[in-house]
Amino acid sequence: MLSLPTPILAALRSVIGFFIRGKFVPENPITEFNLDLSQAVFYVIPRDSLADVLTLQLACKELGLPDPLEPAIFAGESHQRVAFLTDKNDETLEATVEQFTAALSLHRKDASHNAQLIPVKLFWDRYPGRESVDDLVSGKKPRPTGMLKKAWQVIFKGRENLVRFSQPVSLKEMAQRQGSDKRIGHKLARVARIHFSRMQMIATGPKLPNRRHMFEQLLASATIRAAIQDEAKARSTSPEQAKQTALKYLEEIAADFSYRNLRIADALLSWVWNKIYSGIEVNHAERVRQLAQEGHEIVYAPCHRSHMDYLLLSYVLYHQGMVPPHIAAGVNLNFWPAGPFFRRAGAFFIRRSFKGNKLYSTVFREYLSQLFSRGYSVEYFTEGGRSRTGRLLPPKTGMLAMTVQAMLRGLERPVTIVPVYFGYEHVMEVGTYYKELKGKAKDKESLFSLFGMLRKLRNFGHGYVNFGEPINVNHRLNQLAPDWRTPLEEGNKPHWLVPAVNDISLRLMENINSAAAVNGLCLSASILLAAENRAMPRKQLAKQMDLCLSLIKNVPYSDHVTVPELDAEALIDQALSLDKFQTNSDYLGEIIGLDEKQQVLMNFYRNNIIHLLIMPAFIASALLQHRSISRQQLLTLIEQLYPLLKGELFLRYNSDEIGELVERYLAEFVALKLISENGDCFRIDKHRRGRLLLLAQLAQESLHRYAVVAALLANRPHLERAQLEKQALAGAQRLAQMHHIDAPEYYDKRITSNLLSLMREQGYQQREAAQQLFAQLSPLLADGVYDSIIALLDLET
């Protein structure tokens, strides 16, 4: 078909170009794959299809890749640039094997060549098909697409077309490593077939299950049968009644994934994102695609800041050429019409607590295990609920523990958890979060609340989806519990499960924070909330933003943090466009500030990135309290406080890295001329003291809470845990009121409870240790805060 006359090919290409609105993954293959276009580039596609080749040609033209219909000049000879792996009967084409073998032979003879072979698969329809009992028995393979069906796909499915490029194969490296005989040519063809098969699974997922048949399988499992018997005995009912209860639980829990629903959701969400966001930035997705291609069972574990989160992740993954995951959603979202819609988009519903309901717990665990065994990716929020403060919440480990338990049942594929960081320049629920923290009852999700959210659709700025460093659970368990694969008797829980799950959950939270997205709004909020009266001249704001950007860029928190390339002035303009700031101009220039309401709301956005600046803020706090401080004094203080910071903000550094980190920040302060170094001591440049004061202010609220809890532990060590939490929370709230600080973390019970646990872990429940900590903290507190803590808690000095 490629030998058709040029005018006919041009006419067909024009027809196809009229119907298709294709998507390309990745969006920039040349950059992502680091392609060397000075060397020959070849393409291999699964089957000989003129429509596929012409669509590929259009894609390559748009992406700046070599034309697949133009011959490649390789080793002084002209070669067909595109190869077809199989014929219409799905048999490997011998001509393609010969082509592979010849290319490998040329590389063996002349190592100066390095042709790149790019596997490309084109998707016209990502419907996975649906299981039937007959298919399960017969194992029938789908028939290849015929000419008429292909024409129908081009006309009616052209807008769904996806051109998926894979990592190129270096024929030079393969020839050097494997050889160049015909056997290696066949091996390359087999590897390509497996590769395309996996690409198909990644894009469409497994066949959709026969829901009733899946329920029957689950109810017939030994584990659920035993739980049904126990339920019947415990409730004094018949086994049949208990079985009906189990079936009712399955109906409540299980997803009912629908491809048609997915297409509707894609169209709806495309409209929503285009209407309310200026753009969605996605970073580091290539690692996730590679994990999927390698056959990993992927669990997505995002932070949770908005109801937008699960919609946004599914949308992003679909447009990255991957099937959206099955999502663990709170049962509170199972209301009409959202519940049925979410269920058909892959949501499965989970109750807040399993306590006291063994049958429900067993049914849910078996269903989750079934999802893994069938090859579905899964998404759940380790925080358990949306963060009301903008900080990460302490992890809840139930879903992670069930994931590990599913692995113990013989899951063959490696399980990898992918952390996901969501960043927003506007969160529609942020106004209600603070009210809830101050005691207002949480509004129940309903159709009316859904309409209320839709009424708020406006300019939300940019959204950010950053994929963090994945955690290979198999590898981590090998390190934490080398005998984790040892079989246990039914019903027994491994002794290593709880500590291993806790370790993985904390690492997960650290990896989420390590993928933070910095933007102009978060930086502006961080600076203005530190300023007196929450306002400052624009020039001063720009200088302070330059300081923050320098610290973030020159002492990078991690490779996965994304920092804008815009300068401070452009970032301020971007933040001002969101209508969250007050601006006034006079003869001396523009003043930017926050009104009373925005002062509260901006804390949420500051807290999204506070972990990136908290270490230099603490160092600045220590420097400001001394006319001259030695390197060792500073290091001793930071090392003492770091475990609290690490536990509260899920910082990624280990304790043995703190010395080097402090040195790097000190060197950056010197380079920025904020401080001067005299031997082993450091002094502040008095002309830049104000910039350090603004930076240090970011640490004050953490210092306040540490000081309140330390003071209580030092003076009332015998208080019971509940009373201690209550007094610590009340003390922090009173301190915030006295010093005109209106920040959500002062009202968050979970933050206070977590801090108290951290203090106890570090040994501060001992009176002497708590007194020493309070003495260390006191000089770092802002003026008057020390006296306020003593007075409001009625403590002995």
Side-chain angles (χ1 to χ4, degrees):
M1 287 188 287
L2 300 185
S3 59
L4 289 173
T6 302
I8 295 178
L9 288 175
L12 289 172
R13 184 170 55 246
S14 297
V15 172
I16 289 175
F18 176 79
F19 286 106
I20 66 167
R21 295 292 183 273
K23 302 178 183 70
F24 316 127
V25 177
E27 292 182 351
N28 192 340
I30 296 175
T31 301
E32 184 167 315
F33 298 150
N34 195 25
L35 285 174
D36 182 2
L37 297 184
S38 66
Q39 295 282 356
V41 173
F42 295 92
Y43 307 100
V44 57
I45 63 177
R47 291 188 180 89
D48 186 353
S49 165
L50 181 59
D52 285 359
V53 173
L54 293 177
T55 302
L56 175 60
Q57 185 185 34
L58 291 168
C60 289
K61 182 179 180 181
E62 188 165 338
L63 296 169
L65 290 167
D67 189 329
L69 291 184
E70 289 184 358
I73 306 303
F74 178 60
E77 298 179 7
S78 178
H79 297 268
Q80 182 175 303
R81 196 183 291 276
V82 63
F84 308 108
L85 188 61
T86 61
D87 60 20
K88 62 181 181 180
N89 296 317
D90 204 30
E91 298 293 334
T92 302
L93 286 167
E94 196 63 28
T96 299
V97 175
E98 296 285 354
Q99 191 176 347
F100 289 165
T101 305
L104 292 168
S105 297
L106 286 170
H107 282 84
R108 291 279 284 182
K109 293 174 183 176
D110 186 351
S112 65
H113 300 296
N114 186 16
Q116 299 147 105
L117 181 64
I118 305 178
V120 187
K121 188 168 176 63
L122 292 94
F123 296 90
W124 296 92
D125 187 347
R126 292 167 67 180
Y127 176 59
R130 186 171 290 278
E131 282 181 359
S132 69
V133 177
D134 291 340
D135 288 341
L136 294 172
V137 174
S138 66
K140 291 188 297 185
K141 292 183 178 179
R143 290 183 298 177
T145 304
M147 189 178 297
L148 289 177
K149 185 175 181 181
K150 179 67 73 174
W152 184 88
Q153 287 178 338
V154 169
I155 295 170
F156 295 103
K157 297 285 187 176
R159 292 182 179 275
E160 300 177 35
N161 178 260
L162 171 70
V163 183
R164 176 74 162 83
F165 297 89
S166 289
Q167 185 74 36
V169 176
S170 168
L171 294 182
K172 175 181 177 180
E173 291 180 9
M174 188 160 189
Q176 291 175 343
R177 190 172 60 249
Q178 301 283 349
S180 59
D181 57 25
K182 196 168 183 179
R183 177 179 57 87
I184 302 304
H186 276 288
K187 180 178 180 180
L188 182 55
R190 286 197 305 274
V191 170
R193 288 184 69 116
I194 295 170
H195 185 85
F196 285 131
S197 177
R198 283 186 176 170
M199 289 178 76
Q200 182 72 33
M201 178 63 76
I202 292 166
T204 66
K207 277 192 172 185
L208 301 180
N210 181 305
R211 204 160 182 260
R212 184 56 53 186
H213 180 69
M214 183 176 70
F215 286 0
E216 290 172 357
Q217 282 184 318
L218 286 166
L219 292 173
S221 70
T223 305
I224 291 185
R225 283 207 318 270
I228 287 171
Q229 293 297 328
D230 292 343
E231 176 79 2
K233 289 178 183 178
R235 305 285 184 185
S236 300
T237 61
S238 69
E240 185 57 35
Q241 288 176 307
K243 183 178 179 180
Q244 289 303 312
T245 301
L247 179 60
K248 186 173 70 173
Y249 289 155
L250 279 173
E251 294 280 4
E252 174 189 313
I253 294 166
D256 189 14
F257 194 87
S258 162
Y259 179 73
R260 178 180 295 177
N261 201 85
L262 181 64
R263 294 293 304 130
I264 294 171
D266 177 51
L268 176 63
L269 291 177
S270 294
W271 174 81
V272 170
W273 304 142
N274 290 328
K275 180 176 176 60
I276 67 176
Y277 287 116
S278 303
I280 303 294
E281 294 187 18
V282 181
N283 295 289
H284 313 305
E286 68 279 357
R287 298 197 64 174
V288 185
R289 295 197 302 268
Q290 186 61 33
L291 286 169
Q293 192 64 52
E294 292 170 358
H296 287 242
E297 177 66 43
I298 296 179
V299 175
Y300 298 96
C303 61
H304 201 8
R305 295 195 168 118
S306 170
H307 281 312
M308 287 290 187
D309 296 343
Y310 30 79
L311 301 174
L312 185 55
L313 183 57
S314 292
Y315 176 84
V316 164
L317 290 173
Y318 184 74
H319 285 263
Q320 288 292 322
M322 293 178 279
V323 66
H326 278 52
I327 308 164
V331 75
N332 57 305
L333 293 176
N334 191 15
F335 62 88
W336 189 88
F341 180 83
F342 290 150
R343 194 185 296 277
R344 292 190 179 93
F348 59 97
F349 294 97
I350 180 173
R351 295 181 180 181
R352 290 288 182 189
S353 173
F354 297 178
K355 191 175 181 180
N357 194 336
K358 183 180 177 182
L359 181 59
Y360 179 87
S361 173
T362 303
V363 167
F364 186 87
R365 290 171 193 271
E366 289 296 302
Y367 174 73
L368 183 64
S369 182
Q370 182 83 192
L371 292 180
F372 287 132
S373 66
R374 287 172 175 265
Y376 293 105
S377 58
V378 172
E379 173 190 346
Y380 49 72
F381 298 94
T382 313
E383 294 169 281
R386 290 168 293 158
S387 169
R388 267 63 177 169
T389 65
R391 298 178 174 209
L392 289 185
L393 299 172
K396 292 188 175 181
T397 57
M399 288 294 292
L400 182 55
M402 284 187 274
T403 300
V404 175
Q405 288 171 325
M407 294 172 62
L408 297 178
R409 302 179 65 170
L411 190 64
E412 294 181 1
R413 296 181 307 285
V415 175
T416 296
I417 301 175
V418 175
V420 186
Y421 177 96
F422 291 115
Y424 301 98
E425 291 182 327
H426 179 81
V427 173
M428 66 174 66
E429 304 101 317
V430 75
T432 66
Y433 289 165
Y434 188 61
K435 295 175 185 176
E436 291 173 17
L437 288 170
K438 295 194 77 169
K440 181 184 175 184
K442 176 178 176 290
D443 292 334
K444 186 177 179 181
E445 283 79 4
S446 66
L447 180 61
F448 298 104
S449 65
L450 179 63
F451 284 136
M453 291 172 66
L454 292 175
R455 284 202 309 271
K456 299 176 183 178
L457 295 183
R458 59 181 184 84
N459 176 24
F460 284 7
H462 284 77
Y464 303 85
V465 182
N466 286 0
F467 294 95
E469 180 72 26
I471 300 172
N472 187 309
V473 181
N474 299 63
H475 290 173
R476 192 63 187 157
L477 290 179
N478 288 339
Q479 296 169 345
L480 298 171
D483 61 342
W484 69 274
R485 296 179 188 274
T486 303
L488 293 172
E489 292 184 12
E490 186 69 30
N492 286 355
K493 183 183 290 187
H495 64 88
W496 51 262
L497 181 64
V498 172
V501 166
N502 288 340
D503 175 275
I504 293 170
S505 67
L506 290 175
R507 184 174 291 261
L508 169 61
M509 307 312 283
E510 292 172 10
N511 288 8
I512 291 174
N513 263 345
S514 293
V518 180
N519 59 65
L521 179 72
C522 294
L523 289 170
S524 298
S526 301
I527 296 166
L528 289 174
L529 287 172
E532 187 176 0
N533 298 321
R534 310 298 187 261
M536 64 171 57
R538 177 172 179 139
K539 289 183 179 179
Q540 185 184 0
L541 175 60
K543 286 183 179 180
Q544 193 67 17
M545 190 176 290
D546 279 330
L547 167 61
C548 293
L549 287 170
S550 295
L551 292 170
I552 293 171
K553 289 177 180 178
N554 297 338
V555 189
Y557 186 84
S558 86
D559 293 338
H560 286 77
V561 169
T562 55
V563 185
E565 296 180 0
L566 301 175
D567 62 17
E569 288 291 345
L571 290 173
I572 292 171
D573 286 336
Q574 196 175 79
L576 291 177
S577 70
L578 298 166
D579 296 327
K580 296 179 183 294
F581 302 91
Q582 289 183 327
T583 58
N584 295 293
S585 297
D586 57 21
Y587 179 75
L588 297 176
E590 189 177 20
I591 295 176
I592 299 173
L594 298 167
D595 63 26
E596 188 174 346
K597 179 181 178 181
Q598 289 297 341
Q599 287 179 31
V600 175
L601 303 185
M602 282 293 121
N603 283 278
F604 185 93
Y605 304 101
R606 176 202 61 185
N607 288 345
N608 286 183
I609 63 164
I610 195 169
H611 61 285
L612 303 180
L613 293 167
I614 196 68
M615 288 298 290
F618 263 73
I619 294 170
S621 298
L623 290 167
L624 286 163
Q625 301 309 316
H626 303 81
R627 293 187 62 185
S628 177
I629 186 171
S630 72
R631 179 179 274 102
Q632 189 56 50
Q633 283 178 299
L634 180 62
L635 183 58
T636 300
L637 176 62
I638 299 299
E639 284 180 337
Q640 183 176 3
L641 295 177
Y642 180 70
L644 298 178
L645 280 171
K646 180 179 176 66
E648 183 182 21
L649 294 176
F650 304 105
L651 303 183
R652 73 171 189 84
Y653 305 107
N654 295 322
S655 296
D656 58 4
E657 299 175 273
I658 297 307
E660 180 187 353
L661 182 67
V662 170
E663 290 288 352
R664 293 177 68 189
Y665 277 121
L666 288 172
E668 185 63 20
F669 283 174
V670 171
L672 293 169
K673 299 181 179 180
L674 298 172
I675 61 174
S676 58
E677 187 175 6
N678 184 12
D680 198 44
C681 293
F682 298 91
R683 298 175 65 91
I684 295 174
D685 185 317
K686 63 180 181 180
H687 298 296
R688 292 176 172 83
R689 182 181 177 86
R691 299 179 72 182
L692 277 178
L693 279 169
L694 283 171
L695 181 62
Q697 191 64 31
L698 287 171
Q700 278 299 306
E701 290 165 17
S702 292
L703 287 169
H704 290 179
R705 290 192 307 281
Y706 297 172
V708 167
V709 176
L712 280 170
L713 289 171
N715 288 269
R716 299 171 188 171
H718 303 300
L719 278 179
E720 292 185 1
R721 170 69 183 246
Q723 281 297 312
L724 199 55
E725 283 186 18
K726 188 175 181 180
Q727 289 197 20
L729 185 64
Q733 291 173 357
R734 181 72 66 86
L735 191 67
Q737 186 176 3
M738 293 172 65
H739 290 270
H740 309 290
I741 303 168
D742 219 351
E745 50 266 40
Y746 280 89
Y747 300 89
D748 194 325
K749 296 177 182 178
R750 289 180 66 175
I751 287 179
T752 302
S753 178
N754 186 49
L755 176 58
L756 190 56
S757 297
L758 290 169
M759 291 272 197
R760 289 187 179 277
E761 287 173 14
Q762 297 301 315
Y764 293 123
Q765 76 272 23
Q766 301 298 324
R767 184 169 190 157
E768 294 77 12
Q771 287 175 335
Q772 183 184 6
L773 176 63
F774 188 59
Q776 291 272 27
L777 291 167
S778 298
L780 305 181
L781 300 173
D783 294 343
V785 174
Y786 171 83
D787 294 332
S788 297
I789 292 174
I790 297 299
L792 68 89
L793 296 179
D794 193 24
L795 301 177
E796 300 175 8
T797 58

